[in-house]
Amino acid sequence: MKKGENTSLSSQARDLLEDIHRNIRTEYGSEPEPPRRELYYGGLARAIRDRLIERWLQSQRHYYRDPVRRVYYLSMEFLPGRFMQNYITNLQLDDVVEEALDGLYTLEELESEEMDAGLGNGGLGRLASCFLDSMATLNIPGYGYGIRYDYGVFYQTIENGWQVEHADNWIRYGNPWDFKRPHIQVEVNFYGRSEAYKDVNGRLRHRWVDTETVKALPYDTLIPGYDTRNVSSMRLWTAVSNEDFNLFQFNAGDYTGAMDAKVRSENISKVLYPSDEKYEGRVLRLKQQYFLVAATLRDIIRRFQRHLDDLSRMPERVAIQLNDTHPTIAIPEMMRILLDEQGWEWEKAWSLCHELFAYTNHTVLPEALETWPVDLLKQLLPRHLEIIYEINRRFLEEVAQAYPGQEEKLSSLSIIEEGYPKKIRMAHLAIVGSHSINGVAALHSEILRQEVFPHFQQMYPDRFHNVTNGVTPRRWLLQCNPGLSELISKHIGDGWITNLEELEKLRPLASDIQFQSEWAAVKRANKERLIRYVDRKVGVVLDPDSLFDVHIKRIHEYKRQLLNLLHVITLYLRLKKDPDSVRVPRSVIIAGKAAPAYHHAKLIIKLANSVAEKI
């Protein structure tokens, strides 16, 4: 009997295996035998996705049938991680998959075939993905909106101790998890000019004319909740040229020029965070931000109008969360739609915007708060610049009334930063245009109130809140540490998987000798697994009896890798002076990437490798 043809399989496992084999034949035009790992991965991926589709359709029918308020989460970054294990875990199919594979491959082996969707750079993107997972698990109607970058976080190699970046073409083998939606393309405009005119009632209006147009094409990825039939989705936009191909130029022999317009347009969704060292890079970054929000707001309005035509009722059905300042241009974009396309008066439009938007701040460093040169907005988004100036004018009138004679308040609170060049303070725009502002930790939120935005806190004390950043326990414990998860569930049940407060039940076990022994065994097994991984990746064999000192973070000056290296050097010098001074053997593991243009961070990587080579 061939592997995979075990007649003793349960009905679920047998059905799954049949689906895997059918997908290998129909999707890849191949036979399941002899087995090939990449084909079994693709077959399993599509079989799992098929089991989600009906749940997703049911969830969408429910959302449209019942008058629910939906959350739209706008983020330039998402770091969902690999999808297959997450889907299997949330569908609670781990045992079924293992039974169906029948030892032919482990789930870990098949998962290694999946390209990680590097659509984020760090905590910002991981927070976004954790929120999507949590909303799905809590049965909250929520959608994530971002950009489907062709090249995500770069692929890193180390050459002579230095980081070298390579393009991360994560979709080069295709992506079995997303659904292309060519029938929902949205037009996004750039450049042009703002034109004033009088409407039929003699009122002054504006329209944005002579623009360049790019189309936004959506791809949907399913986001299932854990232990629920609810499935939400993440919609990622890719840029599609309005002018695919210039046949005249091609026939004239200008083969490269024939593709210029297409290449320029589609560059928008090529790379996550293009370098902003040069002007062209800054233009592209702003294009990405507006591309995301313009396409997304059109989609939100389209969804809303499937039920109601009256946009004034949007706050009943719509909540828009801005993840950091990157999507803040959504505020003037919504104002433009309401003022220029719907013909609303300013006060009505501004009131609606204020009810729709909320803003999550991610940084307490004033110098790290995003700004955009006024001249760049004037060139790329001329009508939006006019709207931002009008928002600021009305806001400063409010400040002057609240604090008469306090000129310093006007300059510190203004959305426009005077100087050369003049800049738009995007965080100020987000605060003025949102009804809720939150940090991502209690201390962080307090620093925002007291140190970063104290004058805004005085102006709007009811707007500032704290929402502590967290991680999903499904991804970061249940999946990544199955041994520990099984141990915890054996002793306190599995309620902690959806309610982390349940972990409090472990406290009485902390002094239990048997539990300590089981815990240590799990930790030892995980260390040995890591040892095998490190050996495979970098050819270094670690001592399982040593203390593993692990620092995995984006390489950045404020993330303390340099301080860690100084500590390593200190320990080394102490050992040279007195071999008995360090009693616990230590294996130091530092991992992370530095932004391509962040030269100081790259120096830290070089230092880490030089220290490692010396020691």
Side-chain angles (χ1 to χ4, degrees), residues 224-503:
Y226 178 83
D227 194 24
T228 173
R229 294 193 65 81
N230 184 51
V231 179
S232 60
S233 58
M234 173 176 65
R235 174 157 286 184
L236 302 179
W237 301 99
T238 191
V240 179
S241 175
N242 226 20
E243 302 176 36
D244 276 350
F245 186 72
N246 189 316
L247 185 61
F248 177 81
Q249 284 181 283
F250 186 86
N251 286 335
D254 185 4
Y255 306 130
T256 303
M259 298 292 290
D260 276 352
K262 178 179 174 67
V263 171
R264 281 198 308 273
S265 297
E266 297 181 359
N267 274 342
I268 292 173
S269 57
K270 283 294 179 189
V271 178
L272 168 68
Y273 292 152
S275 173
D276 59 358
E277 283 190 303
K278 295 185 177 180
Y279 177 77
E280 292 79 7
R282 293 192 290 275
V283 172
L284 185 53
R285 283 201 181 196
L286 183 55
K287 275 188 172 183
Q288 287 181 332
Q289 293 183 8
Y290 180 66
F291 174 79
L292 165 61
V293 303
T296 298
L297 291 186
R298 289 292 182 195
D299 208 44
I300 292 172
I301 292 171
R302 178 190 63 81
R303 291 181 190 271
F304 173 80
Q305 289 185 324
R306 288 186 65 175
H307 285 285
L308 297 169
D309 288 327
D310 184 2
L311 293 184
S312 66
R313 296 184 61 184
M314 281 184 72
E316 298 175 21
R317 304 288 180 86
V318 173
I320 302 174
Q321 188 72 37
L322 307 175
N323 192 27
D324 213 358
T325 52
H326 307 126
T328 302
I329 200 70
I331 294 171
E333 170 66 3
M334 180 61 82
M335 288 294 290
R336 187 193 66 79
I337 292 170
L338 298 176
L339 295 171
D340 299 355
E341 298 181 11
Q342 299 296 318
W344 286 21
E345 296 299 330
W346 182 278
E347 290 76 10
K348 181 181 178 182
W350 184 246
S351 176
L352 180 78
C353 275
H354 187 257
E355 289 185 77
L356 288 176
F357 290 103
Y359 161 54
T360 298
N361 172 278
H362 282 268
T363 183
V364 298
L365 300 173
E367 66 272 18
L369 293 172
E370 186 178 40
T371 60
W372 286 108
V374 166
D375 287 346
L376 177 52
L377 261 82
K378 185 176 182 179
Q379 175 194 12
L380 193 65
L381 303 170
R383 178 59 182 140
H384 298 76
L385 180 62
E386 290 179 345
I387 292 171
I388 291 170
Y389 264 100
E390 182 61 15
I391 292 171
N392 194 50
R393 185 188 70 78
R394 291 169 180 257
F395 169 63
L396 291 183
E397 285 183 355
E398 184 183 347
V399 175
Q401 291 176 3
Y403 303 102
Q406 299 186 39
E407 293 294 323
E408 75 282 356
K409 283 273 200 306
L410 296 176
S411 62
S412 65
L413 291 173
S414 175
I415 296 170
I416 312 299
E417 179 184 301
E418 300 296 336
Y420 184 79
K422 279 188 178 182
K423 295 179 179 179
I424 308 296
R425 295 162 165 163
M426 301 306 284
H428 289 208
L429 178 59
I431 292 171
V432 172
S434 300
H435 66 270
S436 176
I437 299 98
N438 70 275
V440 293
L443 178 59
H444 176 198
S445 298
E446 192 60 26
I447 292 172
L448 294 182
R449 293 188 187 99
Q450 301 300 325
E451 299 180 28
V452 184
F453 303 121
H455 297 322
F456 280 110
Q457 163 68 16
Q458 292 171 17
M459 281 281 294
Y460 305 125
D462 295 334
R463 293 191 191 181
F464 284 82
H465 310 282
N466 175 60
V467 181
T468 297
N469 189 352
V471 296
T472 166
R474 271 77 63 188
R475 173 73 74 173
W476 293 113
L477 183 51
L478 183 63
Q479 292 172 32
C480 75
N481 200 337
L484 183 57
S485 298
E486 290 174 10
L487 175 63
I488 292 172
S489 295
K490 184 177 82 170
H491 286 273
I492 67 170
D494 61 6
W496 63 270
I497 298 172
T498 52
N499 181 10
L500 277 180
E501 292 178 356
E502 292 275 315
L503 294 179

